[in-house]
Amino acid sequence: MLLFLLSVVSVMGTVHATATGVDPLLLYKATHDKQCQRWVDSLMNRLSTKEKVGQLFIYTIAPVETKRNLVLLYEAVATYKVGGLLFSGGKLQNQALLTNRAQKQARVPLMITFDGEWGLSMRLRGTPVFPRNMVLGCIQDNRLIYDYGREMARQCRELGVQVNFAPVADVNINPHNPVINTRSFGQNPIKVADKVIAYGSGLEGGGVLSVCKHFPGHGDTDVDSHKALPVLPFTRERLDSVELYPFKEAIRAGLSGMMVGHLQVPIIEPIGNLPSSLSRNIVYGLLTEELAFKGLIFTDALAMNGVSGNTHVSLQALKAGNDMVLAPRNLKEEMEAVYKAIDKGELSMEDIDRKCRKVLTYKYALGLKHKPVVRLSGLGARINTPQTRDLIRRLNLAAITVICNKKQILPLHTETKEMALLEVGEPGDMSDFATRLSRYITPVRFRLRKNMTEEQSQQLRDSLAAYKRIIVAVGEQRLAPYQKFFSRFAPESPTIYAFFTPGKMMLQIQRAVSTAQVVVLGHSTAEDVQNQVADVLFGKATANGRLSASLGGVFHEGEGVTITPDMPVHFMPEEYGLRSEVLARIDSIAIEGIRQGAYPGCQVVVLKDGHVMVDQSFGTQAGGNSERIGPHSIYDLASLSKTTGTLLALMKLYDKGYFSLNDKLSEYLPWLLRTNKKDITIRDVLLHQSGLPAGIVSYTEFIDRDSYQGRLFSNKRDGKHTLHLGPGVWGNPNFKFKKEYVSSVREGDYTLPVSDGIWLNRSSRKLLEQEIAKAPMKDKSYRYSDVGFILLRLLVEQLADKPMDEYLQQEFFEPMRLERTAYLPLRQHAKKEIVPSSIDRFLRKDTLRGYVNDESAAFQGGVSGNAGLFSTAGEVARIYQMLLNGGELDGQRYLSEETCRLFTTDQSKISRRVLGFDRPDTVNLKNSPCAPSAPASVYGHTGFTGTCAWVDPENGLVYVFLSNRTYPDATNRKLQQLDIRERIQEVIYEAMK
């Protein structure tokens, strides 16, 4: 909301605060305009007392040209010289005609007001119909609400209207409120305030006065103030936190108008049955003094039964602190009572002058220095523009709310052929919806008719039970005739309800709705809405609405889920041989890991036959109140980069015939020829049986040995070695880097990022080669080696003639539409999108967020063969699904079937490994990286930061787990101790039994 308000300020000007409160924006501009002051002064000098009093009255009249009505108009304008008019319901052209007539008759330009809470259509036939506020309350983008206010201002100006008695700032907590209800933006005071400010700012930005109503708050009442006097029996604390909140925020935002309702508020006004509109304690004491409101104060209509029983209501209202009185029943009597009060000294002339001056100042601010003339020709076309219709469409679509999406049924998949559409309403009501659905599937259409026999109803229920998905489209508001059918409608197949009615209508079939997997609220039967809801169901359009008010005890305010076109499609596990109730145990295991401190958060994705069975995110990025993990949170894959990045590139190059597995690495990396590594083959490196060491601590070559005393590492803690780096290893953090290799800023050849404030010189690659060259070789037994994959990255870049990250982006990540899979992710993503992997207190002395955790990879500039890749579980799963598909995904081939089969099945003769991939240890289950039930054919990899990805070709499964178990401490081994990854994988196999 802050960003939106900043944009409003840029349009309207600056909010000006003083020691006594905030000046309304319109008033501030006018009072600092010398021409305005001169205009107001000249009128004040010419107006008689009666004329000044008249400026404080707004007269209500019907927009009809009968002789009687024209006489009433003349009397109000020419005889009583009222300051403004309010037209009741009628026709657009008639109001325009009477407005021009009245302005011509007036000595002082009239303030024309309008009661248009949901647009001109609230009072005038044939004008654009905007959604009710309760619908608009579902919209999350308040810029749309501002645009609505701005458009409403444009229409008002075309019609010669300067004041709109809107927005409604009441918080509708009481669902049984007989008068406010859908006129309110909702039941959350903060969200109501945001909408009020957005709409009011739009109005005033367009030159029309906004009027927030009904102060001090009419939302939690069960009496209509048109008929009687409602009571607000609340404490002051309650009033401040709910009823008054939106009004206070509107005042702080610099809005200019307030309307005081007819309400009894005992905690503020002790006189019984005295309406707030006539209470000086409320109007002057609370609104003007305590809340420091300096704008124009209007009464609600004084002809309403909530106030009309009082004598001389206009006089009482002015004495209470109102500036303008609206629609008293007898204009002559009410004005004469004010004249007499002035004569008797009950109402001071100073008070009248102050109110009149404020009214005139606002008239000037609203463009009434001269009498406006409404241009009658083409008026309807100027009101009903294509831009207006498009705005109404955008508002309707933005309000669509997917209230619930149990088991992630949405988006639906076009492969689900057995789908039924049950239409509830008159024939043809849902035709647009059905037609749009037919773009994706061929639904079998059924119609629920009124007064069906029980036998017919049961036949219909039985017919629907045969379908895998049932969509119930409701366009009928009166659902009583259908209640018996729905009371016995409980299909086993997932049911999607799409309501094209006001939300409260669904409560008539509450029991059926409460058991539905999906409930979508479209609010309207408009063609655009029907089309959009159909698109949303299949994930082809976005819906991000949230309920503005609770619906009975079924759904609560704020509920709603976002559906977007980039959401993965989920499927019912039972339809693919998995049991949902067993898969649900994954949640408890993942949450156990968080509670036990194994990691702050994690992602879990399970695919079966290419379809999403599980896509869950748990916990937060860094614990506590940090950002929650979502499906788009980006993780450091650590060694999972070997098979998700480096190996893909190598397989692609193998596919192209660039090398053979038995080739020696030194054939492509000639600097190895003069080393003890000249004979190692690519196959042996992939199988981790080349004799290469597990790793090299190459980063020590960048540390200045003269910058610290003693040794850099120790096997025990002492005064110098204070940081625990791993089992039996302690480090001395008090060192400096060599200036010839490391810089604190990016400049010249220092272009390789290590972390914030650490840049490597490009010449550092030679150091890496030197360290690998002199590393000792061991026998050719199985030994897991990062060094081998560091060499494979160099091989890839030699063969591809470009950096490995660029090659992978070109051949895989970009064509596969993997937007969050990348090395050096800070080049494309903000830090807040990336999960921190650890706090490096020793080497980089920073929280690692977007920089690779692995030190060897970091001191290669973040791109290495052993680590460096970042991604999400969903995108990693797509890569492994491609491998499971034999190199194909979404109809596009990335690798040949032969290459995929070779690399995933050619097993070492001395270990469980295949070419680059790890496998379960079926001999020693304690050493296995997989679940006990995982078949021997499973392939994949794990990562140091707490990641894994496994493919089961026998069962068509892909399982991905990502976490940051290394945050904040890389020595944390609770993930391994609790067997979280393995236990989750075991649950998948149990769900298949």
Side-chain angles (χ1 to χ4, degrees), residues 80-118:
Y80 297 109
K81 296 180 172 51
V82 295
L85 293 176
L86 172 65
F87 289 98
S88 56
K91 296 181 179 179
L92 180 72
Q93 202 75 7
N94 287 349
Q95 176 164 329
L97 285 167
L98 264 65
T99 296
N100 284 344
R101 178 186 286 266
Q103 292 288 19
K104 189 174 181 179
Q105 293 170 350
R107 182 185 178 192
V108 177
L110 290 163
M111 181 184 286
I112 306 300
T113 66
F114 194 84
D115 195 10
E117 296 170 14
W118 55 87

Side-chain angles (χ1 to χ4, degrees), residues 22 58 78 92 94 175 200 263 297 408 428 459 479 545 550 565 575 590 604 725 756 861 873:
V22 174
I58 297 173
L92 180 72
N94 287 349
L263 306 157
I297 304 175
Q408 296 176 301
Q459 287 177 348
L479 299 178
S550 297
E575 296 173 0
V604 181
L725 304 181
D756 286 338

Side-chain angles (χ1 to χ4, degrees), residues 45-57:
N45 292 333
R46 297 201 311 268
L47 294 178
S48 66
T49 298
K50 289 185 177 181
E51 287 175 317
K52 291 177 180 178
V53 170
Q55 288 298 306
L56 313 184
F57 280 74

Side-chain angles (χ1 to χ4, degrees), residues 57 486 595 619 797 881 886:
F57 280 74
F486 283 109
R595 289 175 176 167
E797 295 185 342
Q881 184 65 48

Side-chain angles (χ1 to χ4, degrees), residues 141-142 151 234 237 270 279 339 345 427 575 594 631 647 830 878 969:
D141 185 357
N142 285 335
E151 169 59 19
F234 308 122
E237 290 75 18
S279 167
Y339 305 153
E575 296 173 0
I594 295 170
L647 192 58
R878 283 179 58 80
D969 185 359

Side-chain angles (χ1 to χ4, degrees), residues 85 87 92 95-100 102-103 109-114 120 124 152-164 207-208 366-368 370-376 379 382-383:
L85 293 176
F87 289 98
L92 180 72
Q95 176 164 329
L97 285 167
L98 264 65
T99 296
N100 284 344
Q103 292 288 19
L110 290 163
M111 181 184 286
I112 306 300
T113 66
F114 194 84
L120 298 182
L124 298 175
M152 186 59 193
R154 186 194 68 80
Q155 294 182 26
C156 286
R157 302 293 293 189
E158 289 283 2
L159 188 55
V161 170
Q162 294 80 41
V163 178
N164 187 19
V208 170
L366 296 169
L368 289 174
H370 303 291
K371 296 179 183 180
V373 177
V374 180
R375 184 158 57 94
L376 300 178
L379 178 60
R382 296 198 308 277
I383 296 294

Side-chain angles (χ1 to χ4, degrees), residues 411-424:
L412 298 172
H413 200 285
T414 54
E415 291 180 5
T416 308
K417 303 299 182 184
E418 299 86 4
M419 204 171 296
L421 172 62
L422 177 61
E423 300 173 50
V424 183

